[in-house]
């Protein structure tokens, strides 16, 4: 289920999207990766839109065990002499087949999901590692979407911690800036902090309303899809880009806004906890990189799936 609105967890969970009968991941948003996303729909639903390479380890082992050793063709009894010592003994082949197929319990839904996804997972993992330019561009596009959402969620939770989400009407009046309900321009960091917070609140209200509609929130599914692709790329060994200068600047400017608000809020010296918020934001630009991907994705995709 979706997190309560007051927590501001960002996009809807994959489980909530699936319960509405919608696609968990949107293959149309990333056309070059559409076959992978289509094959992975059920897997993404069960995993909470996270990807784990280890999910497919047993399938790979079983497939390898069921095949003859490299370079060893199977032969009939009449060809046994020609095959000589290089043929796989029939007993060994039989044992491999039994271990891979005969003594396995009926497949579960998650096993079925992995079986359907595996061919495309292997194909696209190989292509991405080989540097396919179209796939590289799409993964980097997905990474930018994830970073946009991570910065937004960081700003939102900071405003919550400052108890200005949404801000009091008197705070907005003091800024002399009118913020209508359809003003979502929270990226304008030249605005006073209460205005930024109100715009973040407006944006969240819009998303919550769209998510409650029959068609759901396409923006949230787009973000879930991007997070799934970023997870996939990282798991298969693709090196993700560092945080962009634009995202670093957004965090720095927002941290400055928080510090200025603490100083001018009429409460004298800044509250130690509030001051810590601005310091944390300033530090985050150095902490968010591909090496902290798990934390970054956890901000974007709440953990609601099962371990696959």
């Amino acid at each position: 289920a979706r997190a309560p609105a007051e927590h501001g967890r960002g996009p809807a969970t994959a489980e909530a999207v699936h319960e509405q009968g919608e696609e968990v991941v949107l293959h149309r948003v990333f056309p070059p990766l559409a076959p992978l996303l289509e094959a992975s729909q059920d897997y993404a639903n069960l995993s909470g839109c996270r990807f784990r390479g280890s999910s497919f380890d047993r399938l790979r082992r079983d497939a390898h065990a069921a095949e003859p050793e490299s370079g060893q063709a199977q032969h009939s009894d009449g060809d046994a002499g020609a095959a000589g010592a290089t043929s796989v003994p029939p007993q060994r082949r039989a044992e491999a087949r039994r271990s891979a197929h005969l003594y396995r319990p009926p497949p579960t839904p998650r096993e079925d999901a992995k079986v359907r996804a595996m061919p495309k997972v292997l194909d696209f993992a190989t292509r991405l590692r080989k540097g396919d330019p179209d796939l590289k561009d799409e993964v980097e596009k997905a990474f930018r979407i994830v970073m946009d959402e991570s910065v937004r969620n960081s700003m939102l939770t900071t405003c919550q911690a400052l108890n200005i989400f949404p801000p009091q009407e008197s705070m907005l009046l003091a800024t002399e800036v009118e913020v209508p309900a359809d003003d979502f321009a929270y990226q304008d960091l030249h605005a006073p902090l209460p205005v930024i917070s109100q715009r973040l609140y407006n944006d969240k209200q819009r998303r919550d309303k769209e998510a409650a509609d029959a068609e759901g929130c396409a923006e949230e599914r787009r973000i879930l899809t991007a997070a799934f692709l970023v997870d996939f790329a990282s798991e298969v060994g693709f090196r993700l880009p560092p945080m962009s200068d634009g995202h670093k600047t957004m965090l720095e400017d927002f941290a400055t806004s928080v510090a200025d608000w603490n100083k001018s809020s009429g409460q004298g010296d800044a509250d130690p906890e509030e001051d810590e918020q601005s310091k944390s934001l300033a530090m985050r630009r150095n902490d968010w990189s591909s090496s902290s991907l798990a934390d970054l994705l956890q901000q974007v995709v709440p953990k609601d799936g099962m371990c696959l």
Side-chain angles (χ1 to χ4, degrees):
R2 187 177 297 106
E6 63 268 24
H7 293 320
R9 291 293 300 274
T13 64
E15 180 183 6
V17 170
H18 183 75
E19 286 176 353
Q20 294 175 337
E22 302 159 2
E23 292 180 327
V24 179
V25 290
L26 297 176
H27 60 272
R28 296 179 299 277
V29 179
F30 301 91
L33 287 154
L36 169 67
L37 293 170
E38 287 184 278
S40 303
Q41 281 284 349
D42 290 338
Y43 174 85
N45 170 54
L46 292 169
S47 69
C49 247
R50 300 300 303 270
F51 181 89
R52 290 290 176 268
S54 57
S55 296
F56 301 89
D57 285 350
R58 196 183 77 176
L59 291 178
R60 282 192 288 260
R61 287 195 300 268
D62 289 351
H64 180 72
E67 293 176 354
E69 293 182 356
S70 178
Q72 296 178 347
Q74 295 188 23
H75 300 270
S76 66
D77 292 341
D79 294 330
T86 62
S87 64
V88 178
Q91 183 180 359
R92 182 174 176 182
R93 291 201 300 271
E95 290 173 353
R97 286 195 296 271
R98 282 198 297 271
S99 64
H101 301 289
L102 299 182
Y103 296 119
R104 182 183 300 171
T108 63
R110 60 180 179 177
E111 288 173 334
D112 279 341
K114 289 187 284 186
V115 168
R116 284 192 291 273
M118 183 172 170
K120 294 302 180 183
V121 165
L122 297 179
D123 177 31
F124 279 81
T126 299
R127 291 172 56 190
L128 192 56
R129 284 193 294 263
K130 288 183 176 180
D132 184 305
D134 290 338
L135 301 189
K136 178 177 178 291
D137 289 346
E138 291 297 287
V139 168
E140 291 179 352
K141 170 185 169 183
F143 184 73
R144 289 192 296 272
I145 292 172
V146 169
M147 287 304 309
D148 287 343
E149 186 70 358
S150 295
V151 171
R152 169 193 176 272
N153 289 351
S154 178
M155 293 166 60
L156 189 153
T157 54
T158 298
C159 290
Q160 289 177 324
L162 296 173
N163 295 316
I164 58 170
F165 188 83
Q168 298 176 11
E169 185 176 353
S170 59
M171 295 178 182
L172 286 175
L173 289 173
T175 67
E176 299 183 348
V177 178
E178 184 177 353
V179 186
D182 60 353
D183 184 350
F184 314 119
Y186 61 85
Q187 299 94 338
D188 178 9
L189 297 176
H190 296 293
L193 186 61
V195 172
I196 296 172
S197 182
Q198 183 63 50
R199 288 167 172 168
L200 280 164
Y201 183 79
N202 292 349
D203 181 68
K204 186 174 186 308
Q205 291 291 98
R206 173 185 63 83
R207 290 195 190 187
D208 288 348
K209 182 178 182 300
E210 291 179 4
D213 291 341
E215 295 182 359
C217 182
E219 182 175 3
E220 291 187 339
R221 297 201 303 279
R222 172 175 166 268
I223 294 165
L224 286 171
T225 305
F228 181 80
L229 289 176
V230 169
D231 222 358
F232 167 77
S234 176
E235 285 284 298
V236 303
F238 178 78
R239 184 170 183 177
L240 294 165
M243 175 186 278
S244 70
D245 291 341
H247 290 121
K248 290 179 182 179
T249 299
M250 282 191 70
L251 284 175
E252 290 172 345
D253 289 350
F254 187 68
T256 299
S257 294
V258 171
D260 291 344
W261 166 257
N262 289 337
K263 293 175 183 177
S264 63
S265 59
Q267 301 176 5
D269 294 336
D271 185 289
E273 292 186 5
E274 294 181 349
D275 190 50
E276 192 63 31
Q277 288 286 340
S278 58
K279 290 180 180 178
S280 175
L281 284 163
M283 291 172 62
R284 230 168 267 181
R285 66 185 181 90
N286 295 320
D287 293 340
W288 278 352
S289 64
S290 56
S291 63
S292 57
L293 182 65
D295 292 337
L296 188 155
L297 288 172
Q298 183 58 29
Q299 290 199 39
V300 176
V301 185
K303 185 181 293 184
D304 71 321
M306 65 178 69
C307 179
L308 295 183

